[in-house]
Amino acid sequence: MKDQYQRDVDYIRISVTDRCNYRCQYCLPREGAERTDHSDVMTYEEIIRLVKAATAAGITRVKITGGEPLVRKGVCGLIQNLRRIPGIESVTMTTNGALLRRFMPELAASGVSGINISLDTMDQEKYRRITRRGDFSEVWEGIRKTIIAGIPVKVNCIPMPGFNDDELVDMAALAWKYPITVRFVEMMPVGMGKQYKAVTQDEIKKILEAQFGYMEPVKEAAGNGPAVYYQFPEFRGKVGFISPLSRKFCRSCNRIRVLADGTLKLCLNYEGHMNLKQEMRSGIDDQELEKLLKDCIYMKPKCHDFPSRSWPATEDGANVFGKGDTVEERVKNMIREPRFMAQIGG
């Protein structure tokens, strides 16, 4: 499936819940955010139906996200069922890692293709401060068990000036000691993240090369999305960068997102105005769902335009487009995403 700018779109991120057991400072307010009512969250049957239609539209890779996906009962069974869908090549999951230790037997049995773990610091006090309630030792034990289980691991770290930018070498060194990938993610100006300054790829690369030597670019594909990867001599794993601000990757963007309530997002920086759950519950058949997905994917925006425009175009940022409007009308008038990152699956 190609969009209007001839990009191959083969990757979907699906949020199974907007609930999270953490309150990370760049992600959620201390008191949390308004939760989607249980009746408005997509059922697992609806997610499976959606993914089957998506494969017909060219999707081959699925990422399960939250909130924190492991707080939703039965998510390991969902992963197992998604892996069985013809045409799906991989099903991965992003997690904060707090529940990995508990769910590792089920995750290993599910056939999950890989697990991404958010980890911004290895300092217990800092970890508690940034997550407001997390325990680093629990997360590290979960990472250790994931490695032992033979499940590919990616550790995602968001560097923040004055907080954890003194740990970049230590974080990267995890890929020297263990067969994992450590990725440095630029802070994105979405939700609470607008309060923080991003540390750029060039800044991090300079620090790491001063410590470890030349970073050799990895040519073969090493992930689902826009990350670029490097190899240091004698490292067991790789180091990667996700740099939407300093290395704008929109030209090769291959992803769409679906929120827990069924809202389709064609770009992280724009609010969605097509609710696939509502369309399914209104009675559309599988062929109509496939066509709807294809029509929406075709209208994927050219780029995120993160820093360059003001928020949002309407008085309250609400969805002002009705069910009767065409796909083109609903997509072309998209406004900036007003939700917190935990509510949109990252």
Side-chain angles (χ1 to χ4, degrees):
M1 176 70 203
K2 292 184 182 292
D3 68 7
Q4 60 184 320
Y5 302 105
Q6 296 304 298
R7 295 172 296 196
D8 291 314
V9 179
D10 60 1
Y11 175 34
I12 188 170
R13 295 173 64 98
I14 300 176
S15 172
V16 296
T17 181
D18 59 359
R19 303 187 181 197
C20 189
N21 48 353
Y22 281 4
R23 296 291 182 268
C24 294
Q25 293 192 29
Y26 54 76
C27 190
L28 281 170
R30 184 181 297 275
E31 65 278 9
E34 184 178 356
R35 296 174 174 178
T36 302
D37 189 85
H38 181 72
S39 62
D40 291 327
V41 173
M42 283 192 297
T43 66
Y44 287 157
E45 290 77 15
E46 288 167 338
I47 291 174
I48 291 168
R49 183 186 173 195
L50 171 60
V51 172
K52 286 180 178 178
T55 61
I59 297 296
T60 61
R61 292 174 283 181
V62 180
K63 173 82 73 183
I64 297 300
T65 72
E68 169 49 48
L70 289 175
V71 303
R72 181 167 176 183
K73 186 177 180 180
V75 71
C76 297
L78 171 68
I79 292 171
Q80 188 172 50
N81 286 324
L82 293 177
R83 287 283 289 158
R84 294 170 177 163
I85 296 175
I88 292 300
E89 298 173 1
S90 73
V91 180
T92 54
M93 183 183 73
T94 293
T95 173
N96 60 33
L99 300 174
L100 270 179
R101 179 175 59 177
R102 184 192 310 176
F103 284 97
M104 186 46 55
E106 292 178 60
L107 283 167
S110 76
V112 66
S113 308
I115 297 178
N116 294 9
I117 300 138
S118 299
L119 184 67
D120 299 322
T121 176
M122 292 186 291
D123 180 279
Q124 178 73 276
E125 183 180 341
K126 283 184 182 179
Y127 191 81
R128 184 75 178 184
R129 197 186 329 157
I130 192 67
T131 63
R132 295 195 175 103
R133 55 179 64 178
D135 183 339
F136 169 74
S137 62
E138 286 185 350
V139 175
W140 183 250
E141 179 63 13
I143 292 174
R144 192 184 70 83
K145 284 187 174 294
T146 307
I147 295 171
I148 292 172
I151 300 171
V153 172
K154 292 186 175 79
V155 170
N156 291 341
C157 173
I158 301 180
M160 290 162 275
F163 179 74
N164 64 347
D165 53 347
D166 60 337
E167 295 185 71
L168 300 179
V169 168
D170 291 338
M171 293 298 299
L174 291 175
W176 168 75
K177 189 174 183 180
Y178 302 99
I180 66 177
T181 297
V182 176
R183 305 194 299 184
F184 296 100
V185 185
E186 286 182 350
M187 180 73 72
M188 286 175 258
V190 174
M192 307 290 286
K194 295 194 293 291
Q195 304 174 43
Y196 296 86
K197 182 181 182 295
V199 181
T200 68
Q201 177 174 325
D202 285 345
E203 292 172 304
I204 301 169
K205 192 169 180 281
K206 183 177 179 181
I207 292 169
L208 298 186
E209 288 194 319
Q211 178 69 30
F212 300 116
Y214 176 68
M215 302 175 72
E216 181 72 28
V218 176
K219 295 180 180 179
E220 66 270 16
N224 293 330
V228 294
Y229 295 93
Y230 294 86
Q231 186 76 57
F232 282 113
E234 300 181 3
F235 269 47
R236 298 178 68 187
K238 299 179 180 67
V239 171
F241 296 94
I242 300 176
S243 310
L245 304 182
S246 68
R247 294 286 193 280
K248 197 169 184 177
F249 44 66
C250 299
R251 185 178 297 178
S252 60
C253 184
N254 65 336
R255 67 179 61 184
I256 58 174
R257 292 171 168 82
V258 179
L259 279 58
D261 69 355
T263 299
L264 173 67
K265 282 179 62 64
L266 300 172
C267 174
L268 179 63
N269 198 34
Y270 294 94
E271 184 180 13
H273 293 298
M274 180 69 67
N275 191 295
L276 300 173
K277 177 208 68 196
Q278 290 177 0
E279 299 292 337
M280 287 188 284
R281 292 184 184 181
S282 71
I284 65 171
D285 62 28
D286 291 344
Q287 283 188 320
E288 290 171 320
L289 180 59
E290 177 189 336
K291 183 179 185 304
L292 182 61
L293 276 167
K294 288 180 176 179
D295 290 343
C296 288
I297 290 171
Y298 183 79
M299 294 301 299
K300 183 174 166 65
K302 185 175 183 179
C303 59
H304 60 61
D305 246 358
F306 260 125
S308 60
R309 293 182 188 170
S310 59
W311 280 62
T314 61
E315 283 187 15
D316 59 358
N319 182 347
V320 296
F321 305 105
K323 181 178 174 60
D325 292 333
T326 66
V327 169
E328 183 173 4
E329 287 171 334
R330 282 200 250 182
V331 172
K332 74 180 181 180
N333 294 310
M334 290 187 299
I335 61 175
R336 290 292 182 264
E337 175 54 65
R339 299 175 180 86
F340 299 114
M341 189 67 84
Q343 297 174 302
I344 58 179

